[in-house]
Amino acid sequence: MVGTNLKAETTALMEKRSLLEEQMSAIISRLCVPGGPGLSGNLLDSEGFPRADIDIAAVRLERNNLAAKIDQNLQLLHSTRLAQDISLPPKVSGTSQENFYTAMDEDPVVGVPFAIVDEIADGSPASDDGLQLGDQIVKFSNVEGGEQLLARLASEAQSNQGCALPLVIVRQGMFINLAVTPRPWHGRGLLGCHFRIL
């Protein structure tokens, strides 16, 4: 009886995930048409004005929808893991996996994302340092949640210009440690990305 319920639940979760992935693919296709802005392309022209060849409001809406779908997919992955009581795989030294899971291993309280990267400019410090669209922020230097998050994130970047700031993110269901260095570049801000508070 329990096996039947687990199989039905797993099948239902797989169907939900497939639907989400189809919706994400459709959004990506619309954003990545020739001449389109892509997932993280700049919405400003070379002079800093909004691009006239695209509907910026529609692009931002599509990017926000994609970020929301990624968030739903991650939540679905987490619920599947919790439901089936799956443990984290062991760390593998000497590979790119060595950064995975370390935040959760060291401090089990860490792990609740408070923001998601919903916009990132090509050639920005955030992009160059490895941050990606859809990354969920668990820890940004000393910021781990609480009140006035956007102001605190901006203050943290401003007061640490030129210094590598440690980040803990969730990407495709895995915890990853990164470092980003806020610095001036040809675009706006010191990171060149936008966080949406969850």
Side-chain angles (χ1 to χ4, degrees), residues 4-166:
T4 306
N5 288 343
L6 183 59
K7 183 176 180 181
E9 286 176 29
T10 303
T11 303
L13 288 171
M14 289 172 61
E15 288 172 1
K16 284 181 186 175
R17 185 172 179 204
S18 294
L19 179 62
L20 277 172
E21 288 175 350
E22 286 174 22
Q23 292 169 344
M24 288 165 49
S25 293
I27 293 171
I28 291 169
S29 296
R30 290 192 295 270
L31 287 172
C32 295
V33 296
L39 300 179
S40 61
N42 204 339
L43 302 180
L44 304 176
D45 62 20
S46 59
E47 296 176 357
F49 293 102
R51 285 176 53 180
D53 62 327
I54 58 174
D55 182 348
I56 292 178
V59 169
R60 287 189 65 98
L61 181 64
E62 288 279 55
R63 287 178 175 176
N64 286 338
N65 285 342
L66 180 60
K69 298 293 180 193
I70 291 170
D71 186 41
Q72 289 173 2
N73 204 6
L74 288 172
Q75 289 177 11
L76 188 61
L77 285 170
H78 288 298
S79 68
T80 304
R81 287 185 178 165
L82 290 174
Q84 297 179 3
D85 195 28
I86 297 175
S87 61
L88 294 172
K91 288 186 277 184
V92 180
S93 296
T95 70
S96 61
Q97 279 193 339
E98 67 186 319
N99 288 333
F100 293 2
Y101 312 117
T102 54
M104 290 300 286
D105 292 345
E106 292 167 5
D107 185 357
V109 174
V110 173
V112 179
F114 63 85
I116 189 167
V117 179
D118 66 354
E119 190 173 326
I120 189 164
D122 292 332
S124 66
S127 176
D128 291 347
D129 291 345
L131 210 55
Q132 295 179 10
L133 189 68
D135 284 348
Q136 292 186 326
I137 309 299
V138 175
K139 183 175 180 180
F140 183 92
S141 187
N142 294 317
V143 180
E144 299 183 56
E147 300 295 319
Q148 299 178 330
L149 286 169
L150 286 176
R152 289 170 54 210
L153 289 170
S155 173
E156 196 73 19
Q158 189 70 36
S159 61
N160 290 287
Q161 273 191 64
C163 300
L165 298 178

